[in-house]
Amino acid sequence: MKKTLLIEIYTEEIPHTELKNIILSLYNNIIKELKQFNIQYEKIKWYASPRRLGIKIYQIVMERKIKKKKIIGPSTKIAINKEKKLNHIGLSWVKKYNIDKNKIFFLQNNQGSWVAQQSFNTIENVKNVLPEIIHNAINHIKLTRTMKWNNNSISFIRPVRNILAMIDDKILKIKIFELYATNYTYGHFFMNNSKIFFQHAKEYPALLFNKGKVLVDFFERKKNITNQIEKKLNQLNGAININQNLLDEITSLVEYPVTLVGKFQKEYLNIPHEIIINILQKYQKHIPVYINNQLSNYFLIISNIVSSNNQAIITGNQKIVHAKLFDAQFFLKQDQKFKLINNLTILKKTIFQENLGTLYEKTIRIYHLVKWIGLALKIQVQYGIRAAILCKCDLVSNIVFEFPEMQGIIGKYYAIKEKENLLTAQAIQEHYYPILSHSSLPTTKIGCVLSLSDKIDTIVGLSILKKYPKKNQDPYKIKRLSTGILRIILEKNFSIDLTLLIKKSFFLYNYNYSKQEINKVLNLILHRIYHIYEKNKIEKRVIKSVMLAYKNEILLNIDKKIQSVHQFIQSKHFLELMLIYKRIRNILNKNKHMSHYKNINTALFQTKYEFDLYHKTTIINKKISYLFNKKDYWNILFVTINIKDVINNFFQHVLIQNNNRDIYLNRLSLLFVVKKMLCNISDLECFID
């Protein structure tokens, strides 16, 4: 028998930035639980709108097999009487574990004879476990924040007002968030906020749309919005430039989308376009319209209601946009009464971070770091030095105070207005890049140098305060800053010593740092390298193998090693190398009590095969040293495989163990040297299954 399960959690309005993550978490949890309970089904679909989270599972097989394991009880010596029947001890065991007497047998093993119940398979109605599955899935939803309501001990992203739960045409007996399941939900909050009753789970979501004016299918709603936008753009002969994140946010704000056209006064187009776009998109969730590839004074409004007076909705939204643009225009005029450099005085009174001084002091540290990095990379950074002085000056401007997202952007705008060099202006904006882990890097070298300087100063400063990121908490965005540092160095081919850069940053704080603190920051940054390469589909064990063999080198060398190992493990030579490594590893592991490895003494060699292995290893190590200087890591990996024939002959003709302890230890030391040679680039232990 197969049935359809429907679950809908009806809530107060869920934050639009979190809706999709919440429903996907619930969806994945449900799939995981169904798999764990060995429940078969045809497909599963999720639904989400501002006030509801829905899951519909099609064609659930309503019976599942349960495999019972054998239960071992007491020894037959104490549980069986002379008539070979259960005595009071045996009967107590039967009662305690609810044992089926018909399935009892005597288990024989090396330790004796035991009373046991035979393992068997049984069939269970899936309906019995569905409440547990649903509860588990809901309890493990990943939420960034929660709230309580009605003096309740239960919490969720928003107060829950109804639970719709049906299995075909029956209400599922379940209680969630202190609410018993029903066969109804509520329609659109503004257009039809009445109960919508379902006769069958298959009626969802069509009935909710037809009677309740709710388009609960996220993807259908998104497609509907896109189609409406296209029609409006055809009327305006315009175009849009919208990213999927914004479109998802807009989709998460409405249950019944209606697209309207608004406009603002053309005079506001003199405001930097980044500010206009920020006001429209971030603050109002409107969509700017471009005409002839230029930003126009039109914008699209995605309303959440069908109204007989759309003009009132348009007018209301236009008033808000006008007010924001008026403020922006006013702040621009106020800021431009003074030059950007004049704000340095204000930075002296502005705290960067408690116990880390002011933004002015940070500016001076960035200035010195830019000079240091420029010298290390042998590039001209005179415009970068100027950018370092100005890069934080816009933080105390009126515009950034009102619109924090404009930091850097407005600094560039003011710098250009004041006839600063374009490279200086560009670096001011881009020194915050990458804003997200995988967003754009600075486009110029001095922008990259300024970005590195700012990020390393922040990370080192926070490390002085012992403010390190935790597993699921990173309030100071240290992980993102670290990823930015690594990406700039690797993608821009900056041959810079990260350890020396960290030391320089500590020095500029006038802080008496220790070697442990240097390594703490270094490891903190380097750990993000896994995040970078896993996005490029390079196995974690490849990255780990190289990082374990890391010898405080230039970061670019790590990149070359990772790429070389990534390619090498796909060749037949890698398997040959691993066979050699495993054999040596096993011998050394079995003889850990003899692991006091010393310098190899050739006078203790008893066979030509020991001499051959020693000389071959010496020759290969010299080649490796030469190739290391050339940074030719690919050929290093292939050179090491030349040990194959010699090591195989050694194993075939030489017995490692010897009554003479010195000879025995000398042979182990020889193998240890070979093992070390095999792992000069990549710790092969990472590839042991």
Side-chain angles (χ1 to χ4, degrees), residues 398-528:
N398 289 293
I399 279 287
V400 172
F401 183 80
E402 183 70 13
F403 305 108
E405 305 81 11
M406 290 295 103
Q407 64 179 15
I409 295 171
I410 205 65
K412 172 189 174 182
Y413 176 79
Y414 289 155
I416 291 173
K417 277 272 188 180
E418 295 168 13
K419 309 298 182 186
E420 295 286 349
N421 186 278
L422 188 58
L423 286 173
T424 297
Q426 191 75 9
I428 292 172
Q429 176 178 346
E430 294 184 348
H431 87 280
Y432 291 107
Y433 291 7
I435 295 172
L436 300 174
S437 294
H438 291 277
S439 56
S440 301
L441 297 181
T443 55
T444 64
K445 282 187 177 181
I446 64 170
C448 289
V449 170
L450 186 59
S451 178
L452 276 179
S453 303
D454 182 37
K455 288 173 172 56
I456 200 68
D457 177 79
T458 299
I459 292 173
V460 168
L462 291 170
S463 75
I464 291 171
L465 299 180
K466 304 294 187 273
K467 294 184 181 294
Y468 302 114
K470 297 177 182 178
K471 187 174 182 180
N472 297 318
Q473 293 181 324
D474 186 19
Y476 299 100
K477 310 299 181 190
I478 293 175
K479 293 179 182 178
R480 191 193 71 197
L481 295 174
S482 298
T483 301
I485 288 172
L486 293 176
R487 283 190 60 206
I488 289 171
I489 291 174
L490 294 173
E491 294 179 36
K492 297 298 181 179
N493 292 314
F494 277 5
S495 184
I496 189 168
D497 190 317
L498 191 52
T499 303
L500 291 179
L501 177 60
I502 294 168
K503 286 181 179 179
K504 178 66 177 178
S505 186
F506 269 114
F507 174 78
L508 290 171
Y509 271 100
N510 195 26
Y511 180 76
N512 187 21
Y513 57 87
S514 66
K515 184 178 179 180
Q516 287 76 15
E517 287 173 301
I518 294 290
N519 289 333
K520 178 80 174 178
V521 175
L522 180 64
N523 292 330
L524 186 69
I525 295 171
L526 288 178
H527 187 71
R528 297 302 295 167

Side-chain angles (χ1 to χ4, degrees), residues 19 427 659:
L19 177 66
N659 292 331

Side-chain angles (χ1 to χ4, degrees), residues 44-241:
I44 179 169
K45 186 172 175 60
W46 61 266
Y47 303 88
S49 75
R51 291 182 176 271
R52 61 198 84 226
L53 304 166
I55 296 288
K56 191 173 182 180
I57 310 172
Y58 296 81
Q59 299 294 296
I60 299 178
V61 179
M62 294 305 294
E63 292 181 340
R64 69 171 187 137
K65 289 183 179 180
I66 305 174
K67 186 175 181 180
K68 297 284 187 180
K69 297 179 180 178
K70 65 170 70 81
I71 302 174
I72 300 175
S75 167
T76 55
K77 291 180 180 179
I78 63 170
I80 300 296
N81 58 28
K82 292 179 181 179
E83 288 77 32
K84 294 187 178 180
K85 292 183 180 180
L86 294 174
N87 59 21
H88 69 283
I89 295 176
L91 291 172
S92 296
W93 170 72
V94 167
K95 185 178 180 180
K96 181 177 180 180
Y97 293 100
N98 194 25
I99 301 297
D100 185 347
K101 291 182 181 179
N102 296 323
K103 293 186 171 62
I104 289 175
F105 75 107
F106 299 138
L107 175 67
Q108 298 284 342
N109 58 30
N110 296 333
Q111 297 173 329
S113 176
W114 314 88
V115 180
Q117 181 184 13
Q118 184 74 7
S119 61
F120 64 96
N121 291 335
T122 188
I123 303 298
E124 182 184 41
N125 191 328
V126 165
K127 191 175 180 180
N128 297 332
V129 296
L130 286 177
E132 183 179 353
I133 288 171
I134 294 165
H135 276 293
N136 289 345
I138 291 173
N139 290 338
H140 289 93
I141 294 175
K142 293 179 180 178
L143 300 172
T144 57
R145 48 187 166 158
T146 60
M147 62 181 297
K148 295 180 181 179
W149 63 97
N150 296 344
N151 297 319
N152 208 327
S153 60
I154 297 172
S155 61
F156 197 55
I157 185 71
R158 285 292 183 269
V160 177
R161 299 308 183 194
N162 186 66
I163 299 296
L164 165 62
M166 298 182 71
I167 185 82
D168 272 1
D169 58 344
K170 306 294 183 184
I171 297 173
L172 184 66
K173 291 183 179 179
I174 187 172
K175 187 179 182 183
I176 308 173
F177 299 111
E178 297 299 312
L179 295 170
Y180 289 101
T182 69
N183 64 339
Y184 63 82
T185 186
Y186 293 88
H188 194 287
F189 191 77
F190 299 108
M191 294 192 290
N192 184 15
N193 191 24
S194 58
K195 292 179 180 179
I196 311 294
F197 286 88
F198 292 85
Q199 301 300 317
H200 197 285
K202 67 182 181 182
E203 295 176 332
Y204 192 95
L207 187 64
L208 182 57
F209 177 72
N210 294 331
K211 285 193 174 182
K213 299 298 181 186
V214 174
L215 186 52
V216 72
D217 188 313
F218 188 91
F219 297 104
E220 285 294 323
R221 196 163 69 251
K222 187 175 178 179
K223 183 179 178 182
N224 183 282
I225 292 170
T226 304
N227 291 338
Q228 290 187 42
I229 288 172
E230 192 173 329
K231 289 179 181 178
K232 294 298 182 184
L233 291 175
N234 287 337
Q235 295 171 13
L236 295 169
N237 195 26
I240 60 171
N241 181 18

